[in-house]
Amino acid sequence: AQTVTQSQPEMSVQEAETVTLSCTYDTSESDYYLFWYKQPPSRQMILVIRQEAYKQQNATENRFSVNFQKAAKSFSLKISDSQLGDAAMYFCAYRPPNSGNTPLVFGKGTRLSVIA
Amino acid sequence: KAGVTQTPRYLIKTRGQQVTLSCSPISGHRSVSWYQQTPGQGLQFLFEYFSETQRNKGNFPGRFSGRQFSNSRSEMNVSTLELGDSALYLCASSLRTGVMEYGYTFGSGTRLTVV
Protein backbone atom coordinates (compact mmCIF):
# COMPACT_ATOMS: atom_id res chain seq x y z
CA ALA A 1 0.00 0.00 0.00
CA GLN A 2 1.15 3.49 -0.71
CA THR A 3 2.23 5.55 2.27
CA VAL A 4 3.14 9.19 2.70
CA THR A 5 5.48 10.32 5.48
CA GLN A 6 5.96 13.82 6.78
CA SER A 7 8.76 13.63 9.32
CA GLN A 8 8.40 17.15 10.72
CA PRO A 9 5.31 17.49 12.92
CA GLU A 10 6.06 21.18 13.51
CA MET A 11 8.18 23.83 11.84
CA SER A 12 8.62 27.53 12.35
CA VAL A 13 9.98 30.28 10.13
CA GLN A 14 10.63 33.98 10.45
CA GLU A 15 8.52 36.23 8.31
CA ALA A 16 10.15 36.87 4.91
CA GLU A 17 12.45 33.86 5.29
CA THR A 18 12.35 30.56 3.40
CA VAL A 19 11.25 27.23 4.82
CA THR A 20 11.22 23.71 3.40
CA LEU A 21 8.73 21.04 4.44
CA SER A 22 9.70 17.42 3.84
CA CYS A 23 7.63 14.59 2.40
CA THR A 24 8.56 11.08 1.36
CA TYR A 25 6.30 8.45 -0.10
CA ASP A 26 6.36 4.80 -0.90
CA THR A 27 4.96 3.40 -4.13
CA SER A 28 5.70 0.84 -6.78
CA GLU A 29 3.94 2.89 -9.45
CA SER A 30 5.91 4.78 -12.07
CA ASP A 31 3.21 7.32 -12.80
CA TYR A 32 1.37 9.21 -10.12
CA TYR A 33 0.44 12.64 -8.82
CA LEU A 34 1.67 14.43 -5.75
CA PHE A 35 0.04 17.33 -3.97
CA TRP A 36 0.60 19.76 -1.17
CA TYR A 37 -2.46 21.01 0.68
CA LYS A 38 -2.68 23.82 3.22
CA GLN A 39 -5.19 23.79 6.06
CA PRO A 40 -5.42 27.11 7.91
CA PRO A 41 -7.38 27.52 11.16
CA SER A 42 -10.49 28.07 9.04
CA ARG A 43 -10.25 24.28 8.40
CA GLN A 44 -10.69 24.37 4.64
CA MET A 45 -8.03 22.37 2.83
CA ILE A 46 -6.57 24.38 -0.02
CA LEU A 47 -4.56 22.90 -2.87
CA VAL A 48 -1.16 24.62 -2.91
CA ILE A 49 0.69 22.81 -5.65
CA ARG A 50 0.46 19.73 -7.84
CA GLN A 51 3.21 17.65 -9.45
CA GLU A 52 2.89 15.03 -12.16
CA ALA A 53 5.50 12.32 -11.67
CA TYR A 54 6.26 11.94 -15.37
CA LYS A 55 7.29 15.60 -15.54
CA GLN A 56 10.85 16.13 -14.38
CA GLN A 57 10.41 19.87 -14.03
CA ASN A 58 9.56 20.93 -10.50
CA ALA A 59 6.19 22.62 -10.12
CA THR A 60 6.05 26.25 -9.00
CA GLU A 61 3.17 28.43 -7.87
CA ASN A 62 4.25 31.95 -6.96
CA ARG A 63 6.16 31.69 -3.64
CA PHE A 64 5.62 27.93 -3.45
CA SER A 65 7.85 25.45 -5.22
CA VAL A 66 8.66 21.78 -4.88
CA ASN A 67 11.80 19.72 -5.04
CA PHE A 68 10.66 16.47 -6.62
CA GLN A 69 13.21 13.66 -6.45
CA LYS A 70 11.52 10.67 -8.06
CA ALA A 71 14.28 8.15 -7.46
CA ALA A 72 14.44 9.11 -3.80
CA LYS A 73 10.63 9.29 -3.59
CA SER A 74 10.90 12.70 -2.04
CA PHE A 75 8.60 15.67 -2.56
CA SER A 76 9.51 18.68 -0.44
CA LEU A 77 7.72 22.04 -0.42
CA LYS A 78 9.67 25.29 -0.32
CA ILE A 79 7.92 28.45 0.79
CA SER A 80 9.83 31.62 -0.06
CA ASP A 81 9.31 35.04 1.51
CA SER A 82 7.11 33.52 4.21
CA GLN A 83 4.07 35.52 5.23
CA LEU A 84 1.93 35.42 8.36
CA GLY A 85 -0.89 33.99 6.28
CA ASP A 86 1.23 30.95 5.47
CA ALA A 87 0.78 29.69 9.03
CA ALA A 88 -1.22 26.48 8.72
CA MET A 89 -1.07 22.70 8.64
CA TYR A 90 0.48 21.42 5.44
CA PHE A 91 -0.35 17.99 4.10
CA CYS A 92 1.48 16.06 1.43
CA ALA A 93 -0.70 13.69 -0.63
CA TYR A 94 -0.28 11.03 -3.29
CA ARG A 95 -2.53 9.46 -5.89
CA PRO A 96 -1.79 7.22 -8.90
CA PRO A 97 -3.35 8.09 -12.24
CA ASN A 98 -6.32 6.16 -13.49
CA SER A 99 -6.61 5.47 -9.82
CA GLY A 100 -10.01 3.98 -10.11
CA ASN A 101 -10.77 3.01 -6.59
CA THR A 102 -7.60 4.30 -4.98
CA PRO A 103 -8.17 7.26 -2.69
CA LEU A 104 -5.86 10.20 -2.14
CA VAL A 105 -3.35 9.21 0.54
CA PHE A 106 -2.27 11.92 2.97
CA GLY A 107 0.68 12.32 5.28
CA LYS A 108 0.14 13.24 8.93
CA GLY A 109 0.87 16.89 8.28
CA THR A 110 3.36 19.55 9.35
CA ARG A 111 2.22 22.50 11.43
CA LEU A 112 3.97 25.65 10.21
CA SER A 113 4.24 28.70 12.43
CA VAL A 114 5.33 32.05 11.02
CA ILE A 115 7.05 34.41 13.44
CA ALA A 116 6.67 38.12 12.91
CA LYS B 1 -18.11 29.54 -9.04
CA ALA B 2 -19.45 28.04 -5.82
CA GLY B 3 -17.09 25.78 -3.88
CA VAL B 4 -17.81 22.60 -2.02
CA THR B 5 -20.52 23.19 0.55
CA GLN B 6 -20.82 21.12 3.69
CA THR B 7 -23.66 21.37 6.15
CA PRO B 8 -23.93 21.75 9.02
CA ARG B 9 -20.62 23.28 10.10
CA TYR B 10 -20.96 22.20 13.70
CA LEU B 11 -22.91 19.42 15.31
CA ILE B 12 -23.20 18.12 18.84
CA LYS B 13 -24.76 14.70 19.33
CA THR B 14 -25.20 12.26 22.18
CA ARG B 15 -23.74 8.77 22.22
CA GLY B 16 -26.06 6.29 20.55
CA GLN B 17 -27.69 8.84 18.28
CA GLN B 18 -27.27 8.95 14.54
CA VAL B 19 -26.19 11.83 12.35
CA THR B 20 -26.36 12.78 8.68
CA LEU B 21 -23.86 15.13 7.07
CA SER B 22 -24.35 16.75 3.68
CA CYS B 23 -21.98 17.74 0.92
CA SER B 24 -22.69 19.62 -2.30
CA PRO B 25 -19.78 19.38 -4.75
CA ILE B 26 -18.61 21.94 -7.24
CA SER B 27 -20.93 22.08 -10.22
CA GLY B 28 -19.78 19.56 -12.80
CA HIS B 29 -17.79 17.45 -10.35
CA ARG B 30 -19.17 13.94 -10.19
CA SER B 31 -16.70 12.47 -7.72
CA VAL B 32 -17.19 13.05 -4.00
CA SER B 33 -14.92 11.71 -1.29
CA TRP B 34 -15.25 11.80 2.48
CA TYR B 35 -12.46 11.92 5.04
CA GLN B 36 -12.41 11.85 8.80
CA GLN B 37 -9.79 14.09 10.41
CA THR B 38 -8.67 13.67 14.01
CA PRO B 39 -5.54 14.95 15.80
CA GLY B 40 -4.33 11.43 16.47
CA GLN B 41 -5.10 9.65 13.20
CA GLY B 42 -4.86 12.50 10.74
CA LEU B 43 -6.91 12.24 7.56
CA GLN B 44 -8.54 8.87 7.10
CA PHE B 45 -10.46 7.93 3.99
CA LEU B 46 -14.10 7.01 4.47
CA PHE B 47 -15.52 6.50 0.98
CA GLU B 48 -15.70 7.84 -2.53
CA TYR B 49 -18.70 8.12 -4.80
CA PHE B 50 -18.81 8.65 -8.53
CA SER B 51 -22.04 8.96 -10.47
CA GLU B 52 -24.06 7.62 -7.55
CA THR B 53 -21.87 4.53 -7.14
CA GLN B 54 -19.57 3.87 -4.24
CA ARG B 55 -16.16 3.26 -5.79
CA ASN B 56 -14.17 2.63 -2.66
CA LYS B 57 -14.60 2.38 1.06
CA GLY B 58 -12.07 2.89 3.82
CA ASN B 59 -11.53 0.78 6.88
CA PHE B 60 -14.42 2.01 8.97
CA PRO B 61 -17.19 0.01 10.64
CA GLY B 62 -20.55 -0.47 9.00
CA ARG B 63 -22.00 2.30 11.19
CA PHE B 64 -20.51 4.67 8.63
CA SER B 65 -22.42 4.81 5.38
CA GLY B 66 -22.97 7.19 2.54
CA ARG B 67 -24.76 7.79 -0.68
CA GLN B 68 -24.71 10.08 -3.66
CA PHE B 69 -27.69 11.51 -5.47
CA SER B 70 -28.21 12.09 -9.18
CA ASN B 71 -27.23 15.76 -8.78
CA SER B 72 -23.90 14.59 -7.27
CA ARG B 73 -24.76 15.80 -3.79
CA SER B 74 -23.64 13.33 -1.18
CA GLU B 75 -24.60 12.45 2.35
CA MET B 76 -22.83 10.40 4.95
CA ASN B 77 -24.53 8.82 7.91
CA VAL B 78 -23.12 7.59 11.17
CA SER B 79 -25.37 5.46 13.32
CA THR B 80 -25.01 4.57 17.00
CA LEU B 81 -22.53 7.34 17.62
CA GLU B 82 -19.53 6.72 19.84
CA LEU B 83 -17.29 9.24 21.60
CA GLY B 84 -14.49 8.29 19.22
CA ASP B 85 -16.52 9.50 16.26
CA SER B 86 -15.86 13.08 17.34
CA ALA B 87 -13.90 14.54 14.45
CA LEU B 88 -13.83 16.95 11.57
CA TYR B 89 -15.52 15.34 8.57
CA LEU B 90 -14.26 16.66 5.27
CA CYS B 91 -15.89 16.28 1.91
CA ALA B 92 -14.01 16.80 -1.33
CA SER B 93 -15.07 16.82 -4.92
CA SER B 94 -12.92 16.25 -7.96
CA LEU B 95 -13.10 16.37 -11.71
CA ARG B 96 -12.21 12.94 -12.93
CA THR B 97 -11.20 13.00 -16.59
CA GLY B 98 -9.56 9.65 -17.16
CA VAL B 99 -5.82 9.90 -16.67
CA MET B 100 -5.71 13.49 -15.52
CA GLU B 101 -5.82 14.15 -11.82
CA TYR B 102 -6.46 17.71 -10.75
CA GLY B 103 -6.70 17.03 -7.07
CA TYR B 104 -9.53 17.52 -4.67
CA THR B 105 -11.42 20.66 -3.78
CA PHE B 106 -12.43 20.47 -0.15
CA GLY B 107 -15.30 21.89 1.80
CA SER B 108 -14.85 23.55 5.18
CA GLY B 109 -15.91 20.41 6.98
CA THR B 110 -18.42 19.49 9.63
CA ARG B 111 -17.14 19.45 13.19
CA LEU B 112 -18.95 16.62 14.97
CA THR B 113 -18.76 16.39 18.73
CA VAL B 114 -20.21 13.34 20.46
CA VAL B 115 -20.96 13.74 24.17
Side-chain angles (χ1 to χ4, degrees):
Chain A
Q2 294 91 358
T3 57
V4 177
T5 302
Q6 293 179 249
S7 59
Q8 306 150 315
E10 295 184 359
M11 293 277 289
S12 62
V13 62
Q14 293 279 349
E15 200 175 2
E17 296 296 310
T18 296
V19 64
T20 299
L21 309 184
S22 300
C23 172
T24 58
Y25 55 94
D26 183 27
T27 182
S28 58
E29 303 279 348
S30 58
D31 261 346
Y32 44 86
Y33 294 88
L34 295 163
F35 306 88
W36 277 98
Y37 282 88
K38 168 186 177 181
Q39 187 179 39
S42 66
R43 306 178 339 198
Q44 184 164 15
M45 299 271 281
I46 302 164
L47 179 62
V48 174
I49 202 163
R50 165 181 172 270
Q51 175 78 42
E52 298 166 26
Y54 63 87
K55 288 187 177 179
Q56 294 189 351
Q57 185 175 6
N58 289 324
T60 300
E61 288 288 341
N62 300 313
R63 298 182 295 107
F64 299 87
S65 62
V66 299
N67 183 5
F68 173 49
Q69 302 289 328
K70 190 173 183 179
K73 296 180 182 175
S74 171
F75 183 59
S76 59
L77 175 70
K78 185 173 82 170
I79 306 174
S80 304
D81 185 25
S82 297
Q83 301 174 0
L84 295 177
D86 294 334
M89 281 290 288
Y90 285 83
F91 293 93
C92 178
Y94 161 96
R95 187 163 186 169
N98 272 336
S99 55
N101 298 335
T102 307
L104 197 61
V105 179
F106 288 89
K108 294 285 191 184
T110 296
R111 183 175 301 280
L112 178 67
S113 301
V114 180
I115 303 164
Chain B
K1 185 177 183 182
V4 177
T5 303
Q6 288 189 249
T7 57
R9 288 213 65 187
Y10 300 91
L11 208 47
I12 299 175
K13 289 287 188 178
T14 304
R15 267 185 304 174
Q17 286 187 313
Q18 75 166 18
V19 66
T20 298
L21 311 182
S22 178
C23 172
S24 293
I26 289 175
S27 178
H29 286 194
R30 292 160 62 194
S31 174
V32 174
S33 298
W34 289 88
Y35 283 80
Q36 182 195 65
Q37 185 178 21
T38 58
Q41 299 298 318
L43 285 147
Q44 292 189 285
F45 172 73
L46 282 157
F47 22 66
E48 178 181 6
Y49 287 89
F50 183 81
S51 294
E52 302 179 66
T53 301
Q54 186 180 90
R55 294 171 62 103
N56 198 7
K57 189 176 191 300
N59 189 25
F60 278 82
R63 300 185 296 107
F64 291 80
S65 63
R67 58 178 175 170
Q68 186 180 33
F69 302 95
S70 58
N71 62 358
S72 293
R73 189 177 72 85
S74 177
E75 288 181 348
M76 66 162 282
N77 184 278
V78 188
S79 63
T80 319
L81 284 165
E82 300 177 0
L83 295 179
D85 297 332
S86 295
L88 179 66
Y89 290 87
L90 290 167
C91 166
S93 72
S94 63
L95 181 62
R96 307 292 296 277
T97 58
V99 300
M100 292 306 295
E101 174 63 69
Y102 297 100
Y104 290 174
T105 301
F106 283 86
S108 295
T110 294
R111 171 76 67 190
L112 172 65
T113 302
V114 182
V115 298

